[in-house]
Amino acid sequence: MVIKRMVFWEPCISPHKHDLLSSLAMQQSCVEVLLCAQSGIPHERIKQGWEPILSSNYETIVEPSGEVIKELVAGKLDSTVHIFSGIRHFEIITKALALAINNKATYFIMSEPRVFENITGFLRLFQSWIFEIKVRKTTKGVFAIGANGPHWFKLAGYSESKIIDFAYYLSASDKHISQCTSDRINVAYVGALIAQKGVKYLIEAVLNIKNYTSLNVIGAGPDETKLKEIVGKETCVSFVGTIPNSLISFELTKSDILVLPSINKDGWGAVVSEALFQGCFVIVTKKVGASAVVIDQRIGCVVDGKSSESIEKAIISARKHGLLTSEMRSFRAKFARDTLTGEAGAKYIWDVIQNKVNNEPRVYGFLKHEST
């Protein structure tokens, strides 16, 4: 199959896909890259700091009509690959996916795992087993995002040969990596202030080592008042509030460590990539999708959820073992720029799709970059 067009079907316009699509369009200049989104950037995301995205490298279609959807799926069948971000909940995705199956189009799924916790998690798994039979049979592959993505799709009955490790790919900031000289350990949290994010455990950990540790909490949410009550009059914890996405990388240049202490299933955690671009050491729980990149103790540490003690120990250990030096910071930044940029992701997805559509056996993980 000679690929001449790639159509990405998305719930909304997202900065987390922009750099991947832009890089793909630049690297494969003979391939038409299109983004079809059900909506623009949601209002709640704008409040969280997401900013408008403009690209001259690929075409964006928002709220495509039924005729446009039909034309994109049924036309150019022998040279088009479709990538669906999920398979349910959003009308353009369900319509286009049904058309893709009926027209025997070439398509892939790209998705984070569904929440698999408590009885509702088993109900979701049952739903996937029953209602995804045709998808399992007809899709060329599933780009399973994050540490928990592949496991979910195996449970949901997808062939292991169709499951492909995947990540979110971003643009590496061109800002200089900070060479921290402070005697204090500067820790950052970036995200919503809600119970599921486990921020209280991070605050408790920092308060235990307040003599040489500071924490910047970036974000807002309904738990902000409760968290401030935990801090009280202590000055080692600062609440910064919500800032635009474009300023997050600058804030991270001033941090030694990023901590995402999520206690329930979380998404990829794009800020982990941002932090690694700036050379930060990252501490995450297994619930964070980006824990997949913590493959080396020089990169970060995966800790237990709901445990301020494990976070505290990880912070202390990072300093004790010399993992917060400028040399280690440069190592992490290089690792991230080689692995997690839009350029790296575009090369990876293109190679995998070429292998799959041409029925070649070679498929590799996005962190390995080698045949398996």
Side-chain angles (χ1 to χ4, degrees), residues 6 8 19-28 33 346 349-350:
M6 296 179 70
F8 289 79
D19 295 296
L20 174 67
L21 271 61
S22 181
S23 296
L24 184 61
M26 286 191 290
Q27 290 177 14
Q28 308 301 328
V33 177
I349 194 173
W350 178 258

Side-chain angles (χ1 to χ4, degrees), residues 292-304:
V293 306
V294 185
I295 58 174
D296 186 311
Q297 66 175 1
R298 295 170 293 179
I299 295 168
C301 180
V302 180
V303 299
D304 297 330

Side-chain angles (χ1 to χ4, degrees), residues 11 35 38 46 53 64 72 98 130 145 148 179 203 230 234 245 288 322 325 340 347 361 369-370:
L35 167 64
Q38 181 152 316
I46 293 174
I53 300 168
L72 287 173
I130 299 300
I145 298 174
N148 303 307
Q179 305 297 321
I203 290 175
I230 295 173
E234 298 291 348
N245 274 8
V288 177
T325 64
L340 297 172
K347 183 180 185 305
H369 292 280
E370 60 186 20

Side-chain angles (χ1 to χ4, degrees), residues 240-311:
V240 178
T242 301
I243 62 175
N245 274 8
S246 58
L247 297 180
I248 288 175
S249 59
F250 174 72
E251 288 297 321
L252 291 170
T253 64
K254 301 181 287 184
S255 303
D256 298 297
I257 299 174
L258 172 82
V259 182
L260 290 191
S262 300
I263 61 176
N264 288 339
K265 178 262 176 186
D266 210 343
W268 172 259
V271 70
V272 173
S273 301
E274 294 275 9
L276 289 171
F277 288 147
Q278 295 304 325
C280 297
F281 187 83
V282 296
I283 298 173
V284 296
T285 66
K286 293 178 182 178
K287 300 295 185 180
V288 177
S291 62
V293 306
V294 185
I295 58 174
D296 186 311
Q297 66 175 1
R298 295 170 293 179
I299 295 168
C301 180
V302 180
V303 299
D304 297 330
K306 297 184 179 181
S307 173
S308 56
E309 182 182 1
S310 64
I311 297 171

Side-chain angles (χ1 to χ4, degrees), residues 200-212:
K200 86 179 190 92
Y201 300 102
L202 169 58
I203 290 175
E204 290 170 354
V206 169
L207 291 176
N208 287 338
I209 47 177
K210 62 185 178 183
N211 290 340
Y212 54 89

Side-chain angles (χ1 to χ4, degrees), residues 14-190:
S14 167
H16 297 160
K17 296 287 179 69
H18 168 69
D19 295 296
L20 174 67
L21 271 61
S22 181
S23 296
L24 184 61
M26 286 191 290
Q27 290 177 14
Q28 308 301 328
S29 57
C30 294
V31 177
E32 181 185 10
V33 177
L34 291 89
L35 167 64
C36 287
Q38 181 152 316
S39 70
I41 300 177
H43 181 65
E44 62 270 20
R45 292 297 192 178
I46 293 174
K47 290 195 295 184
Q48 293 174 10
W50 285 21
E51 297 171 289
I53 300 168
L54 297 174
S55 177
S56 58
N57 297 326
Y58 60 88
E59 182 181 352
T60 299
I61 304 172
V62 179
E63 296 184 54
S65 66
E67 284 301 312
V68 170
I69 293 172
K70 185 176 180 180
E71 180 182 343
L72 287 173
V73 176
K76 302 180 181 178
L77 283 170
D78 61 346
S79 60
T80 299
V81 171
H82 299 271
I83 298 94
F84 295 96
S85 285
I87 64 174
R88 54 176 58 82
H89 300 313
F90 298 94
E91 186 178 4
I92 70 161
I93 290 177
T94 56
K95 280 185 176 180
L97 180 56
L99 284 168
I101 293 172
N102 291 337
N103 285 275
K104 298 182 179 180
T106 300
Y107 75 93
F108 292 78
I109 303 298
M110 181 183 292
S111 177
E112 295 181 10
R114 301 183 75 185
V115 177
F116 186 49
E117 294 173 347
N118 306 319
I119 186 64
T120 54
F122 284 98
L123 292 175
R124 291 187 185 96
L125 183 61
F126 178 74
Q127 182 191 44
S128 289
W129 263 100
I130 299 300
F131 294 103
E132 295 175 25
I133 295 173
K134 287 185 178 180
V135 176
R136 289 197 295 269
K137 289 181 178 179
T138 58
T139 186
K140 283 289 186 179
V142 179
F143 290 100
I145 298 174
N148 303 307
H151 179 62
W152 165 263
F153 285 102
K154 288 177 187 176
L155 289 177
Y158 287 80
S159 168
E160 192 166 350
S161 64
K162 288 188 175 185
I163 299 171
I164 306 146
D165 294 349
F166 209 63
Y168 279 115
Y169 298 92
L170 307 176
S171 174
S173 169
D174 58 3
K175 294 181 174 64
H176 295 294
I177 299 169
S178 173
Q179 305 297 321
C180 295
T181 58
S182 171
D183 290 334
R184 297 184 67 81
I185 303 174
N186 297 300
V187 180
Y189 168 80
V190 182

